[in-house]
Amino acid sequence: MPSRSVLTAAAAAFAALALTAGVLQLLAFGAGGSARHVILGVFACAVGLSVAGAVIASVRGHRRRRRPVLQPGRDGCQEFRGAPA
């Protein structure tokens, strides 16, 4: 199974590709294309932005989970624990 960093890089590349395709579709509409270009362009941009948001949330969340946090222990006392594996 690919590592997390490989999957994150692949998702970021897919987001960039979808955003590029969406912008090109909107430019094709601007150059005198049909309404189909608007529909495809908006959809591709929405997919690209959604995936880009998921990549950003994943990277930020992954960094936050690595920091140790103060949590209650089994005996009720608080202790520092790292993120679960």
Side-chain angles (χ1 to χ4, degrees):
M1 182 161 175
S3 70
R4 183 179 183 96
S5 61
V6 172
L7 293 175
T8 302
F14 180 77
L17 181 66
L19 285 170
T20 302
V23 169
L24 289 174
Q25 287 289 337
L26 293 174
L27 288 174
F29 173 74
S34 65
R36 179 187 73 153
H37 292 294
V38 173
I39 295 168
L40 290 174
V42 169
F43 178 74
C45 286
V47 169
L49 289 174
S50 175
V51 173
V55 168
I56 291 169
S58 173
V59 169
R60 290 185 72 194
H62 183 63
R63 288 182 185 159
R64 286 185 184 160
R65 284 190 297 266
R66 287 188 162 191
R67 285 188 256 166
V69 277
L70 192 60
Q71 296 178 345
R74 291 183 183 160
D75 58 356
C77 298
Q78 292 185 342
E79 58 185 28
F80 282 102
R81 294 185 186 174

